[in-house]
Amino acid sequence: MDDYSLPSWIYIAVLTVFVGGVMKKILASHLSPTPAVVAWLGATVLVERLWAFCVPAVLVLVLLGVICCLFSITRSMPATLLPAQGKAVFITGCDSGFGKATVKRLDSMGFEVFATVLDLLGDGARELQRTCSSHLTLLQVDITDQQQVHQALLDTKAKLGLKGLWGLVNNAGVCVNFGDTELSLMSNFRGCMEVNFFGTLSVTKNFLPLLRRSRGRIISISSPAGDQPFPCLSAYGASKAALNLLVNTLRHELEPWGVQVSVVLPSSYKTGQTSNHAYWEEKHKQLLQSLPPSLLEEYGEDYVNETKDLFDSFSSEANPDLSPVVNAIVEALLAPQLQPRYFAGPGVGLMYFIHSYCPFSLSNRFLQKLFMKKKLAPRALRKQSSFEVSSNNNNNNNNNNDEKLM
């Protein structure tokens, strides 16, 4: 399958720029010496020193280039996957999006699939029943309801018999709002945590005995927003950050049991409510109605409206092709050696590279330009700025008048 990690040539390019910058400084210092130094060194010594600096740097770059190219070639070779036939997988959140697309792929590959949906009579569930084989079992489960999760476990165990569960795919997740943290309701934070973290934790804890029996795998669908501070996504990002830490902790704890744990980190895709403009319009109206008048006055309704418009624009440009995420999930389920994380989609690897190796100021600006290109400042800050400009102009006029009188 395709490799969704950062391409090797980007690493080489960044390294070349860095080494080139260092070499530029070194060469500049040697090519612009004082007359006294030139007289002392002589032309031959200068050439020898330049040669001594340049040759090792070039050799290092060539060697790194060869290593990266070999690594890229080996990674791009078709991976030998484990057989899918007969393996059982439990996957949450399959009414739409990644979940529904993954169920279709796994069913076509011969997996025995247990898929949860919120509504067995909904369009997504009916489509799965119509297009998939008899190896698919649909379960109506709200993962925030402990009783429903436990009942899903009993139903799955009854159908599996003595056979264990090969894979658990924690796909269910929600993003219930967008906006500055101060403008976000506490219910938004709790809503995201209930589904994205506590719901996922509940499902994982319930199904771990089945996974330990078969030395299976746990694959969780998370988000780069859980590792990086995306503007206006604090509620969603905080819940995904909690999920990412849980995944990393489980990886250590379950290693002695032979259970492998991984996370899939997708880029921006059109899933679930992402492109449902009516849904977000209603959420926007609810936000405006619930904000204290004094807070709304300080930020300004135009500021809040701009955030909504930017989110709509970003969502409309999201990728409708979900196959990179589905491919990553399939590889995570069947690769002989599971990777700790999978970057699913263009740009995710570059995003993590900038976040990990570049200064915070550069990484922060990159996220702002990538996600929310806000032009308006909060109304209170605009008023303050206008007042300061007006005061400065008045001071300048007074100074000019004083100079004329003198």
Side-chain angles (χ1 to χ4, degrees):
M1 66 171 284
D2 295 333
D3 179 20
Y4 297 108
S5 300
L6 192 64
S8 304
W9 64 266
I10 294 182
Y11 289 106
I12 299 174
V14 172
L15 185 62
T16 302
V17 171
F18 174 76
V19 175
V22 174
M23 290 302 303
K24 181 179 179 181
K25 291 183 178 180
I26 295 173
L27 292 175
S29 65
H30 282 81
L31 290 175
S32 303
T34 62
V37 174
V38 172
W40 182 74
L41 288 175
T44 304
V45 176
L46 181 59
V47 170
E48 289 177 353
R49 291 201 171 190
L50 291 176
W51 181 260
F53 277 117
C54 290
V55 171
V58 172
L59 291 177
V60 168
L61 284 177
V62 170
L63 179 61
L64 287 173
V66 171
I67 293 174
C68 289
C69 287
L70 291 175
F71 178 75
S72 179
I73 292 172
T74 56
R75 289 294 303 275
S76 61
M77 293 175 62
T80 303
L81 300 179
L82 300 173
Q85 202 68 33
K87 287 184 169 62
V89 174
F90 187 93
I91 177 169
T92 62
C94 302
D95 297 86
S96 61
F98 300 142
K100 187 174 73 172
T102 302
V103 168
K104 291 181 178 180
R105 176 76 68 82
L106 297 182
D107 179 76
S108 68
M109 295 176 66
F111 280 95
E112 183 176 0
V113 183
F114 297 84
T116 75
V117 294
L118 285 173
D119 185 4
L120 282 173
L121 300 178
D123 293 338
R126 289 179 174 178
E127 181 182 342
L128 290 176
Q129 290 172 332
R130 186 175 63 254
T131 58
C132 294
S133 71
S134 59
H135 294 297
L136 170 65
T137 301
L138 286 179
L139 302 167
Q140 183 165 311
V141 180
D142 177 353
I143 65 170
T144 65
D145 187 321
Q146 179 60 36
Q147 187 174 351
Q148 291 187 23
V149 172
H150 184 66
Q151 185 60 50
L153 172 64
L154 296 179
D155 294 341
T156 303
K157 288 173 68 174
K159 191 154 188 179
L160 284 177
L162 297 177
K163 186 170 65 173
L165 185 67
W166 172 254
L168 167 62
V169 180
N170 289 313
N171 170 70
V174 294
C175 177
V176 298
N177 84 305
F178 54 88
D180 295 47
T181 302
E182 190 176 11
L183 300 177
S184 300
L185 305 177
M186 287 301 297
S187 59
N188 297 145
F189 285 88
R190 293 191 180 97
C192 283
M193 288 297 293
E194 280 297 327
V195 177
N196 300 341
F197 178 70
F198 289 113
T200 300
L201 175 60
S202 174
V203 172
T204 303
K205 284 173 64 67
N206 274 272
F207 282 82
L208 264 176
L210 293 180
L211 292 163
R212 287 191 286 103
R213 183 187 305 171
S214 61
R215 301 172 67 87
R217 301 179 174 195
I218 301 174
I219 315 300
S220 297
I221 313 303
S222 188
S223 168
D227 293 319
Q228 304 177 42
F230 279 76
C232 301
L233 279 181
S234 58
Y236 177 74
S239 65
K240 289 298 186 178
L243 174 61
N244 289 347
L245 184 58
L246 173 65
V247 167
N248 291 333
T249 303
L250 286 173
R251 185 180 299 115
H252 295 298
E253 295 176 349
L254 297 177
E255 184 178 2
W257 294 93
V259 176
Q260 300 184 62
V261 182
S262 183
V263 64
V264 175
L265 299 162
S267 56
S268 177
Y269 290 93
K270 288 186 178 180
T271 62
Q273 301 285 7
T274 304
S275 55
N276 188 340
H277 295 293
Y279 171 83
W280 290 111
E281 189 66 37
E282 182 61 29
K283 287 289 184 181
H284 178 65
K285 290 179 181 178
Q286 292 176 6
L287 174 64
L288 291 176
Q289 293 171 359
S290 62
L291 287 177
S294 58
L295 185 59
L296 183 58
E297 174 63 26
E298 288 192 83
Y299 275 89
E301 188 171 339
D302 55 348
Y303 177 88
V304 181
N305 289 337
E306 184 196 37
T307 303
K308 180 189 75 71
D309 293 339
L310 288 171
F311 185 83
D312 286 340
S313 175
F314 184 82
S315 300
S316 65
E317 297 172 0
N319 190 355
D321 178 16
L322 308 183
S323 59
V325 180
V326 177
N327 292 341
I329 294 172
V330 170
E331 180 177 340
L333 286 170
L334 295 178
Q337 185 59 45
L338 189 65
Q339 297 179 31
R341 61 185 183 180
Y342 291 84
F343 296 149
V348 183
L350 176 60
M351 189 188 305
Y352 272 86
F353 180 82
I354 293 175
H355 176 70
S356 301
Y357 299 106
C358 294
F360 176 76
S361 58
L362 178 61
S363 174
N364 198 41
R365 181 166 297 185
F366 174 77
L367 285 180
Q368 290 175 339
K369 296 294 184 183
L370 175 71
F371 186 59
M372 284 287 183
K373 304 174 184 177
K374 293 190 70 66
K375 297 179 180 179
L376 283 178
R379 180 182 294 165
L381 295 180
R382 279 177 276 160
K383 287 182 177 179
Q384 180 181 342
S385 177
S386 299
F387 175 76
E388 290 175 354
V389 170
S390 177
S391 298
N392 290 334
N393 291 336
N394 290 335
N395 290 335
N396 290 334
N397 291 334
N398 290 335
N399 291 334
N400 291 334
N401 292 333
D402 291 341
E403 289 177 1
K404 291 179 180 179
L405 291 174
M406 293 175 64

